[in-house]
Amino acid sequence: MARHVLDEVDSTNSEAARLAPSLSQPTWIMARRQTSARGRRGRVWVSPEGNFAATLVMRPAGDPAQSALRSFVAALALADALALVMGPGAVLSLKWPNDVLLNGGKVAGILLESTGAGAGVTHLAIGIGVNLVAAPPIEAVEPGALPPVSVLGETGLRIAPEEFLTYLAAAFARWESQFSTFGFAPIRNAWLSRAARLGQPVTARTMTETIEGTFDTLGEDGALILATPQGRRAIPAADVFF
Ligand SMILES: O=C(O)CCCC[C@@H]1SC[C@@H]2NC(=O)N[C@@H]21
């Protein structure tokens, strides 16, 4: 896979969208600084120098729903890369839909965006941010959200973003080959084995409602499946609170 490393950009996902038409192979676009990084649901993502910020741009085979499952591929790759750089003792878990937790705090997030629409999705941009050296203060996140943490703060380890990209790109390539060869099943199983709060009560907040239930499983389409007093609910998109 090709790599572009930039000193500064507005957002690596925006740069991905601009570069996509001219790329002939899957490409990682990394930036040392982002001036206007974005998170899920229109939130701001704080991306100071020393943290990891990169976007993998690819031309996905398959329909948009299938492409979207790459957020789980990316979450697994992130967990593997973090486990490798931190060694044993790091307690990593995955929070639906695609956060990576370190010692129970949010250490990384993923933002999937596509260019083109419907059956015409031409490129997928998988944006990944990791708090390698700094995490925003708890006051900066939504009430009830997990505390942001950094690798440096939790472990004392200083990992350079370029070095992290080497681990992440290799881990992504391994999980991507599982996904393209065998489909979502092995990804789903691996994700479930690292899932935070499985079998425990969670609250899912969608645009229109708040649903409380027990985190039962991950659907075969990536939905969050909750067991609620009213029965099982499959939730395609939400924020989850523990
Ligand atoms: O809300 C989240 O948890 C997702 C955060 C994703 C942040 C990354 S940093 C690299 C890429 N560029 C962006 O503007 N956002 C993503």
Side-chain angles (χ1 to χ4, degrees), residues 95 99 101 104-106 138 141-142 144-148 197 240-242:
K95 175 173 179 275
D99 290 341
L101 309 184
K106 174 162 168 164
I138 182 86
V141 301
E142 229 175 310
L146 292 177
R197 288 293 168 117
V240 171
F241 297 89
F242 294 168

Side-chain angles (χ1 to χ4, degrees), residues 74-167:
L76 284 170
L78 260 175
D80 273 7
L82 284 165
L84 267 171
V85 295
M86 291 191 291
V91 182
L92 290 162
S93 59
L94 301 177
K95 175 173 179 275
W96 190 91
N98 40 46
D99 290 341
V100 182
L101 309 184
L102 169 60
N103 298 337
K106 174 162 168 164
V107 72
I110 298 169
L111 177 66
L112 232 73
E113 293 177 329
S114 49
T115 56
V121 168
T122 47
H123 287 94
L124 186 66
I126 307 169
I128 297 179
V130 185
N131 300 330
L132 289 178
V133 297
I138 182 86
E139 302 78 49
V141 301
E142 229 175 310
L146 292 177
V149 297
S150 71
V151 171
L152 180 63
E154 294 301 299
T155 66
L157 286 172
R158 223 173 245 286
I159 297 147
E162 284 92 337
E163 187 192 348
F164 188 73
L165 178 58
T166 302
Y167 286 96

